[in-house]
Amino acid sequence: MYPIKTQPIFKDYLWGGTNLSKKYNKANGGFLAESWELSCLEKAAVKACNGSFKGQFLKDIIAEHKYQIMGKNGEEFKEFPLLFKFLDANKDLSVQVHPEGENGKTEMWYIVDAKEGGKIGFGFKKSVTKDEVEEAAKNGTLQDIIKYYDVKKGDCFFIRGGSVHCLCAGLIVAEIQQSSDTTYRLYDYNRRDKDGNLRELHLDKALEVANLGVYEKAYCNAENLEECTVAECEYFKVVKHSVHTEKTFDTEEKSFDVLMFLEGSGEIEYYDGQKEKFAAGDTFLIPACLGKYKILGSCDVLRCMLP
């Protein structure tokens, strides 16, 4: 086993742009909304792009070597339970909500970069009823009752399933979430798709799962911190590290680590001298059986594991 570098899948939704391409050289410099860095969903399964597993689907590698990769904390899962993305919110994303629970989508955001005036929407200004939300969504005033927060680079937000939320224009975001693509749109600014049709809304389903209260602003800023736990729940734990020369980590065979490199470059050293190079924008799956490994170089990285 070795640190497995992933080959992302690119999505070109209408709110995307070229910021991920410019920052991380994704999609050969082209238009891009989301880079699915590590996904084992059947419809968007990524492949390994280094070592002996190169060209194989990660879901197949994990199925064949489950315990070695998933570790003790992953024994209960039939499939890989998490999904990792970079997003270019070049335009506002829809106001949306995801279900909660085993098949839901609880997620966290790390703000990789933010233009001046960048915001997120999270919850409501006051407790509201289903009827009030439905009426606001239909008459185009939903934004008036959503609570918005100014954001900056390094801000981290925890978005539990059932939370009404949206990313606003001017943000690059690293997103870590349960392995689900279930999204219910409440409002989409009356935008039309490439065929001129209004994008589908899911008001009934959204209102079934939405928490309609005022939310606690669960966030921190990790920009200038050497090490900081930025999200922790029953589904994942995420720690942001700044490495200046080298730092040692240990999976202890409990869980895989997933490394999302936000800035910098260097090497991952394992098994007393073997190395894999990394650059900003790369994502690696570290199998649980690897034990101790080092990150050599200068970088900021998100390290995610099963709790």
Side-chain angles (χ1 to χ4, degrees), residues 25-37:
N25 196 32
K26 301 284 186 183
N28 296 316
F31 183 93
L32 177 61
E34 295 183 351
S35 177
W36 288 36
E37 295 289 304

Side-chain angles (χ1 to χ4, degrees), residues 44-229:
V46 306
K47 295 180 179 180
C49 66
N50 68 329
S52 58
F53 294 130
K54 184 176 181 179
Q56 296 183 40
F57 288 107
L58 274 181
K59 63 181 183 63
D60 295 337
I61 300 168
I62 293 167
E64 187 174 350
H65 306 279
K66 180 185 173 184
Y67 186 79
Q68 289 174 283
I69 292 175
M70 299 281 281
K72 296 175 184 176
N73 294 357
E75 286 181 317
E76 65 182 278
F77 297 104
K78 294 180 180 179
E79 298 175 343
F80 194 78
L82 302 176
L83 197 159
F84 299 77
K85 303 176 184 176
F86 285 114
L87 286 73
D88 176 5
N90 190 52
K91 298 178 181 177
D92 293 342
L93 273 68
S94 60
V95 180
Q96 57 190 239
V97 65
H98 315 295
E100 189 176 10
E102 184 178 344
N103 298 311
K105 184 178 171 184
T106 286
E107 59 193 4
M108 66 82 61
W109 294 334
Y110 184 97
I111 307 299
V112 176
D113 208 354
K115 292 182 180 178
E116 178 124 8
K119 298 178 184 294
I120 70 158
F122 183 55
F124 299 92
K125 295 177 180 177
K126 64 177 184 178
S127 293
V128 290
T129 66
K130 289 185 179 182
D131 288 343
E132 288 174 322
V133 175
E134 183 173 9
E135 182 180 355
K138 287 180 176 178
N139 67 25
T141 61
L142 188 62
Q143 292 163 285
D144 295 339
I145 61 175
I146 297 291
K147 189 165 185 178
Y148 289 89
Y149 297 91
D150 295 327
V151 299
K152 58 186 179 298
K153 183 178 179 181
D155 281 350
C156 313
F157 293 87
F158 178 68
I159 313 292
R160 186 169 286 282
S163 302
V164 174
H165 61 278
C166 61
L167 289 168
C168 300
L171 306 179
I172 297 177
V173 177
E175 181 177 278
I176 297 171
Q177 59 171 85
Q178 290 175 268
S179 184
S180 167
D181 195 32
T182 303
T183 296
Y184 302 140
R185 292 192 199 107
L186 282 159
Y187 181 63
D188 195 49
Y189 319 101
N190 295 316
R191 290 187 292 203
R192 296 180 182 272
D193 62 22
K194 61 183 179 180
D195 298 318
N197 300 311
L198 288 171
R199 295 223 296 168
E200 183 182 6
L201 300 180
H202 318 94
L203 279 176
D204 290 343
K205 290 181 178 178
L207 290 171
E208 281 181 17
V209 303
N211 176 352
L212 302 181
V214 177
Y215 306 167
E216 179 182 353
K217 190 170 82 165
Y219 90 103
C220 65
N221 183 277
E223 171 65 9
N224 297 312
L225 300 178
E226 296 294 303
E227 182 174 315
C228 177
T229 298

